[in-house]
Amino acid sequence: MPTTALHARRLIEHRYGRPLEHLQEQVAHHRSTDPVLPIVLRRLTDLEQTAEQGRATRRALRTTVQKAVADGSPRDDRLRPYIAELMRVEQQEQTQAEALWDLLDVRLLLDQPAAARLPLSRPPSGGVEDQDVMETARQAAACLPRLTRDALRLALRDRGVHISNRRLGTILQQLRAERAR
């Protein structure tokens, strides 16, 4: 069964458009310009540790219940500390997950003003690869009735193109400008 930490990991990969390992490598080698990314990764690590605490507490509770049943006298006083700890850990996990999701929302807000400062007529970086991506994006956008970030991302992924949110935003702005002409 997927855990909250696993869902958070998938959300991070989705929002950044890259595997978690790649993001961790960027931060480790100080190659990330995103000020939120190191915080997001630390929060994910904390969430994963809390999730592991929850699994350990559940195992201990299960063992205690099995011992109590084997003894023939299930006593509430033996179970209460484990139940209280499990409730505390689950609440902590939920709080950490919500904080992480808020950080990811902040990251999206930080992306928007940065993308708005880029001139619309300029390709993302002017390289041959970016020209190919832009051409593929134009073909994908032609098939879309409404040009949105999510629709464009899915259309590009269907064509085998995976790009970062920042590049996607820049390409989206350029496509919108081209449609407005």
Side-chain angles (χ1 to χ4, degrees):
M1 180 166 83
T3 65
T4 304
L6 182 60
H7 287 296
R9 177 188 173 115
R10 288 179 181 162
L11 181 60
I12 291 167
E13 290 176 337
H14 173 75
R15 291 279 171 94
Y16 280 88
R18 293 184 298 275
L20 187 65
E21 294 76 20
H22 184 264
L23 297 171
Q24 290 168 331
E25 182 181 309
Q26 273 188 315
V27 169
H29 293 94
H30 305 291
R31 288 183 289 176
S32 175
T33 59
D34 187 338
V36 180
L37 181 58
I39 301 166
V40 166
L41 294 178
R42 278 193 306 272
R43 292 289 176 104
L44 178 63
T45 301
D46 293 344
L47 179 61
E48 290 171 338
Q49 290 170 349
T50 302
E52 182 54 41
Q53 284 178 332
R55 285 189 291 275
T57 303
R58 283 184 200 90
R59 284 191 300 270
L61 177 61
R62 195 171 18 257
T63 302
T64 304
V65 167
Q66 289 170 351
K67 286 179 183 177
V69 170
D71 292 346
S73 59
R75 296 179 48 195
D76 289 344
D77 57 332
R78 291 197 311 198
L79 301 178
R80 280 192 185 122
Y82 293 105
I83 293 171
E85 176 64 10
L86 184 59
M87 289 174 59
R88 185 195 66 76
V89 169
E90 286 179 348
Q91 179 61 40
Q92 181 180 355
E93 184 177 7
Q94 183 63 35
T95 302
Q96 289 175 331
E98 289 172 0
L100 180 58
W101 296 329
D102 288 344
L103 276 172
L104 290 171
D105 289 343
V106 166
R107 190 230 173 231
L108 283 177
L109 292 174
L110 288 175
D111 260 1
Q112 290 175 352
R117 288 192 300 266
L118 294 174
L120 294 177
S121 61
R122 188 181 129 224
S125 74
V128 173
E129 178 185 328
D130 287 333
Q131 291 171 0
D132 292 342
V133 170
M134 195 61 208
E135 186 56 39
T136 304
R138 282 187 188 101
Q139 293 169 2
C143 301
L144 299 174
R146 190 161 174 250
L147 189 55
T148 64
R149 180 182 285 268
D150 289 333
L152 182 59
R153 179 191 324 279
L154 290 174
L156 286 172
R157 285 191 178 170
D158 288 345
R159 289 169 172 76
V161 177
H162 298 271
I163 59 174
S164 70
N165 281 329
R166 178 168 285 145
R167 285 182 65 200
L168 180 67
T170 304
I171 289 171
L172 181 63
Q173 283 186 339
Q174 186 169 352
L175 289 172
R176 284 181 176 161
E178 288 174 4
R179 274 193 177 182
R181 289 183 204 158

